[in-house]
Amino acid sequence: MTTAIIVAAGKGTRMGPNVDKLFLDIAGRPVVAHTWQRFDDANCIQEIILVVRDGMQSAFQDLAKGLALKKPFRLVAGGAERQDSVWNGLHAVSDATEIVAIQDGARPCTSLALIEATVEAARECGAAVAAQPVTDTIKESANSKVIDRTLDRSKLWAVQTPQAFHLEIIHRGLAEVKKRGMHVTDDTAACELIGQKVHLISSIQPNPKITTPEDIAYAALLLQREGMTTQAPRLRR
């Protein structure tokens, strides 16, 4: 059984004060509604856990009433940090869950093909992540004022979500994060701590995360173009 954990407990401070980016309208629906519907439509997903800010449960229940949902779902209160929210989500999955696919609530354009490919790779390899090769030249600066060095972009990937894992693997990884008192910004970092290889799934189509106001117009354009022919994601070994 595969369970999706949609992390929707963040405040999104870069969008501006008093703005909940997950409920901003894109193409006639809130951002998080597009994300939720994607995973509800994915054949490889059997249940969905939404990790939300405490106090927002009623808003998500109301949202669900307006969606044509087929999969069972549960709402779980988030934690202080993203890793705490994922941890709470892991403890809410059904006993039959073998694979978990963790998704940012603010990624409304993730393709069904990418979800399927990431889950399948995790089933085969233990852990997998959607990612895109970095195309810009990347500079490192210790003081944010002058360049220290140029990094080799041929080795650099920008990781996204979904990130999929065998349940035991990601549970063990995040337990190690907690044990060490660390802060990680994505779940694959927890796998690195326990020596678990994470396989890259090349995200060919744009898969943006809504972070700033400019992202709204871009995501709306992508959603309008969805009828176009798309390529299948590729597994990098």
Side-chain angles (χ1 to χ4, degrees):
M1 179 175 180
T2 300
T3 298
I5 298 175
I6 299 177
V7 184
K11 296 181 180 178
T13 54
R14 280 176 286 183
M15 188 63 72
N18 303 316
V19 175
D20 191 333
K21 66 180 181 181
L22 294 179
F23 283 86
L24 291 175
D25 183 89
I26 297 183
R29 280 182 171 181
V31 170
V32 72
H34 289 283
T35 309
W36 190 349
Q37 192 73 64
R38 296 295 170 113
F39 281 79
D40 191 76
D41 290 341
N43 291 331
C44 62
I45 302 298
Q46 282 75 54
E47 73 168 354
I48 297 173
I49 306 294
L50 289 106
V51 187
V52 306
R53 291 201 310 277
D54 200 20
M56 290 293 291
Q57 289 89 341
S58 61
F60 279 86
Q61 290 284 5
D62 290 343
L63 181 60
K65 295 174 184 176
L67 301 175
L69 300 173
K70 305 177 290 295
K71 310 285 174 61
F73 71 90
R74 286 192 292 283
L75 303 178
V76 176
E81 303 289 345
R82 184 185 186 281
Q83 65 201 49
D84 303 314
S85 292
V86 173
W87 183 259
N88 292 351
L90 291 176
H91 285 82
V93 303
S94 295
D95 292 340
T97 298
E98 297 175 345
I99 304 293
V100 291
I102 302 170
Q103 172 76 357
D104 297 321
R107 285 193 195 270
C109 303
T110 304
S111 70
L112 295 179
L114 185 60
I115 297 170
E116 298 275 355
T118 308
V119 167
E120 183 57 34
R123 193 179 303 281
E124 177 184 346
C125 306
V129 59
Q132 287 185 324
V134 171
T135 56
D136 291 328
T137 298
I138 303 297
K139 306 287 186 176
E140 182 178 341
S141 173
N143 62 8
S144 300
K145 294 180 180 179
V146 297
I147 293 171
D148 294 323
R149 64 182 180 126
T150 302
L151 303 181
D152 182 359
R153 70 182 180 187
S154 69
K155 299 178 181 179
L156 300 178
W157 288 73
V159 298
Q160 306 171 343
T161 61
Q163 302 187 6
F165 312 89
H166 280 268
L167 177 59
E168 180 273 333
I169 288 173
I170 189 57
H171 189 281
R172 183 158 46 91
L174 285 176
E176 186 65 22
V177 169
K178 291 172 71 69
K179 178 181 176 182
R180 299 191 190 189
M182 296 177 62
H183 173 76
V184 295
T185 57
D186 85 318
D187 307 299
T188 63
C191 287
E192 294 169 26
L193 283 179
I194 61 173
Q196 170 65 46
K197 290 184 178 179
V198 181
H199 289 260
L200 294 165
I201 306 299
S202 182
S203 178
I204 297 172
Q205 296 172 251
N207 183 28
K209 183 178 180 181
I210 304 300
T211 305
T212 66
E214 292 75 18
D215 297 327
I216 294 289
Y218 179 46
L221 179 62
L222 293 175
L223 291 168
Q224 291 169 5
R225 292 179 174 177
E226 274 207 336
M228 299 174 65
T229 302
T230 59
Q231 295 175 284
R234 297 190 296 269
L235 170 63
R236 297 296 180 115
R237 296 185 180 276

